[in-house]
Amino acid sequence: MEYKKIEWLDHEGVEFVLEDYICKLIKPKCEPNGKWILKTHYFTAFPETERLFLEKGYHLAFQTNRTSFATEDDVERKARFVKFISKEFSLAPTCSMVGMSCGGLYAVRLAVAHPELIDVLYIDAPVMNFLSLADMGDAKSGLAESIYNATGLTKSMLLSYRENPIDKMHVLLGHDIPILMVSGDADTVVPYHENGAILEDYYRRHGGRIRVWIKPGCDHHPHGLVGRECEVADAMEAFSAENAAKHA
């Protein structure tokens, strides 16, 4: 494996190619705590929360994707990437994921397919419902044709599609995966009531561990809790500590 030195957010790291896809691992400046974050998509977008994790001693990893829609090949490749990072760099066998928008789709699908690899989910304005993203509801994403081209689904097939994240929430709950979620209540691209709200309602009704921050008047961007990123970082560390206690 050939590693190229890089810098990101004033932190040193390495870039390499795994299974023909570019990957990155950014290292903390302080003493590493052995834990790590996987950003599932849009690596450079709204990075302030990831900066906080680096400052707390986490490593930050990323692997590029073939599409934006968490196809099975991308999800399984990412699972192999998680195992590679853990072994190659002697990091924890589980990662916490940061997934924004379609990155949230990746995060949930990876957690459903491989819950044993996941510590905590942080999803921000997550895509939970292809019917919504394909503009069959209140969304105005303009992504319908991109979805059909990437997944091989047609509009007719999508109407009976039962592999959406909202169809798999019982798997997340069954494996007691804790969730942090941030969304704007005026999101026109990934409307909360058609996506994240369904997950929030399901987790709360069934006793799942979840914390939600709703941003009044906020559209799809900006992602994150601007100026309050520490709330998400602290909540993730609290959930991670609960997981560690449960498995002690």
Side-chain angles (χ1 to χ4, degrees), residues 63-74:
Q63 181 184 47
T64 53
N65 302 305
R66 183 177 65 83
T67 79
S68 291
F69 303 108
T71 52
E72 184 178 358
D73 61 311
D74 266 341

Side-chain angles (χ1 to χ4, degrees), residues 5-190:
K5 291 183 179 181
I6 60 172
E7 286 192 8
W8 190 73
L9 295 178
D10 297 322
H11 288 74
E12 294 180 352
V14 293
E15 183 177 280
F16 56 98
V17 176
L18 184 67
E19 298 188 37
D20 297 324
Y21 285 80
I22 294 174
C23 306
K24 305 177 191 294
L25 183 69
I26 310 302
K27 305 172 184 178
K29 290 181 179 179
C30 61
E31 183 70 23
N33 60 17
K35 298 181 180 182
W36 59 289
I37 301 294
L38 173 63
K39 191 159 187 183
T40 56
H41 203 37
Y42 311 121
F43 180 64
T44 61
F46 306 97
E48 291 309 312
T49 303
E50 295 91 273
R51 185 196 299 273
L52 283 181
F53 284 120
L54 286 168
E55 292 173 354
K56 288 174 175 287
Y58 288 72
H59 283 68
L60 172 66
F62 174 77
Q63 181 184 47
T64 53
N65 302 305
R66 183 177 65 83
T67 79
S68 291
F69 303 108
T71 52
E72 184 178 358
D73 61 311
D74 266 341
V75 170
E76 290 305 314
R77 187 184 309 108
K78 206 168 290 295
R80 294 190 295 272
F81 174 68
V82 171
K83 295 174 184 177
F84 173 84
I85 290 293
S86 296
K87 183 177 180 180
E88 179 76 0
F89 297 95
S90 300
L91 296 175
T94 60
C95 65
S96 291
M97 289 192 285
V98 174
M100 300 175 175
S101 189
C102 286
L105 174 64
Y106 268 100
V108 172
R109 281 195 152 171
L110 180 56
V112 166
H114 294 278
E116 74 281 0
L117 300 179
I118 310 307
D119 189 15
V120 182
L121 284 184
Y122 164 37
I123 48 180
D124 190 303
V127 173
M128 296 289 295
N129 185 356
F130 272 143
L131 290 171
S132 175
L133 194 64
D135 296 342
M136 294 186 190
D138 293 334
K140 298 178 179 64
S141 74
L143 292 173
E145 289 303 319
S146 296
I147 294 170
Y148 303 148
N149 290 336
T151 63
L153 296 168
T154 64
K155 183 175 182 180
S156 179
M157 291 166 66
L158 198 58
L159 291 173
S160 59
Y161 185 68
R162 295 296 177 267
E163 297 296 326
N164 285 296
I166 59 171
D167 300 311
K168 303 296 182 179
M169 298 181 295
H170 63 284
V171 179
L172 302 178
L173 184 73
H175 288 275
D176 192 26
I177 295 177
I179 296 173
L180 309 172
M181 185 162 56
V182 175
S183 286
D185 66 3
D187 194 331
T188 57
V189 179
V190 185

Side-chain angles (χ1 to χ4, degrees), residues 166-220:
I166 59 171
D167 300 311
K168 303 296 182 179
M169 298 181 295
H170 63 284
V171 179
L172 302 178
L173 184 73
H175 288 275
D176 192 26
I177 295 177
I179 296 173
L180 309 172
M181 185 162 56
V182 175
S183 286
D185 66 3
D187 194 331
T188 57
V189 179
V190 185
Y192 185 65
H193 63 280
E194 296 177 350
N195 292 272
I198 300 171
L199 175 61
E200 179 185 4
D201 176 68
Y202 183 86
Y203 251 56
R204 293 200 188 284
R205 282 191 293 109
H206 294 88
R209 291 184 290 159
I210 189 168
R211 278 201 63 182
V212 177
W213 293 261
I214 299 298
K215 299 179 289 186
C218 185
D219 204 336
H220 196 56

